[in-house]
Amino acid sequence: LTCSAALLQEVGPTMVGDEHSDPNLMQFLGAMKRNMLGNHFWEYYVNDPPRVVLNKLESCGYRVVSMTGVGQTLVWCLHKE
């Protein structure tokens, strides 16, 4: 699972998945599905800041494995035991 957020928007929204993500998990996170103009894929996002999303995912058994910055975006990779 990967979460990402633009650096300038550290209070949200947070992208939490793509069109192949677990719909039950997306519902738990309160995620909405959208297609941004010009993209040929769908993504799930929430208006919560990353810290809120990461806390929710931790309560489901996910743990942060790594984190990096890509341009103006922060990306967290998580693993569920």
Side-chain angles (χ1 to χ4, degrees), residues 11-74:
V11 295
T14 304
M15 192 180 102
V16 295
D18 61 20
E19 67 263 28
H20 304 292
S21 296
D22 177 0
N24 293 324
L25 181 59
M26 295 300 106
Q27 183 177 9
F28 171 76
L29 294 174
M32 296 167 275
K33 197 174 184 181
R34 70 179 176 188
N35 177 267
M36 299 294 287
L37 184 63
N39 287 347
H40 299 287
F41 58 89
W42 290 82
E43 63 187 12
Y44 282 96
Y45 76 100
V46 295
N47 286 321
D48 295 329
R51 65 179 174 77
V52 171
V53 175
L54 291 170
N55 286 343
K56 285 181 180 180
L57 290 168
E58 183 179 27
S59 75
C60 292
Y62 288 91
R63 301 289 177 258
V64 174
V65 176
S66 66
M67 182 268 190
T68 190
V70 181
Q72 292 293 309
T73 302
L74 295 173

